[in-house]
Amino acid sequence: ELKFLSDDSSKLKLIYGYSMGGLQAYEWSMRYPNDVKRIAVVCGASHCSEINEVFLLSLEAALLADSNWCDDFQKFMGHPVKGLRAFATIYAGWGVGMSYYTTKAYQNAGYKSANDFVQRSYLPAFENADANDLLAQIRTWKNANISLRESEKNFQRALQGIKANVLLMPCDTDRYFTIEASQHEAEVLTRRNTDDARVVTMFRPIQSTSGHRAGDPHRPELTAELDHIQTNVHELLLLE
């Protein structure tokens, strides 16, 4: 998810990116450093990490194992019901934090058990999805800014070239856009040498058992996560 906020100047006032949208917010702030005032990256990252790629490979393998996949045409020839069920079941183990299950936090959302949560939340969310679109999304995500992963020198040079104020809000239990990776990005961004001494890096983790879902707090049990995000985005917007 990617959102923009602009004003009367030639610069974008804010690029707000959740998940893959965070990858894009980083990309544009690196590619157009003089045209972006602020970015907010929520449960996202500057590039696809290795653990993120392993997660995506498991999703891709689940889809391609379905009998409706055609190697000759490189697309699904029918709706892959079994592949989508496998995809959704794998995602249920990654989309929330481990503590979401160990502390039975799913009960706060109205689910009786972990299995009930998977059956009534994740499986319906993907059962009617376009599998060809999901596959394209996986492959786009997997290749996001891959050069930054292959070279620490490239990574540091790219981030230190960002001139925008940056707000990073990882979730402390996110399993694929990890808080450790975001912390490293914050450390590199803090060392930026820019012409503007007012450039700021804000590192404001979301404390939640909901993992990656915490960055998309439209569910009623995620009001604390929503308040945290809104408060920090408002603070970011006050920076010149």
Side-chain angles (χ1 to χ4, degrees), residues 144-159:
N145 293 336
I146 199 68
S147 65
L148 303 190
R149 190 178 83 195
E150 295 172 346
S151 166
E152 179 67 17
K153 185 177 180 180
N154 287 347
F155 169 77
Q156 298 218 13
R157 182 188 299 117
L159 265 65

Side-chain angles (χ1 to χ4, degrees), residues 64-76:
L64 297 184
D66 192 282
S67 60
N68 284 287
W69 173 253
C70 178
D71 278 327
D72 292 338
F73 292 100
Q74 288 291 295
K75 68 177 183 179
F76 292 97

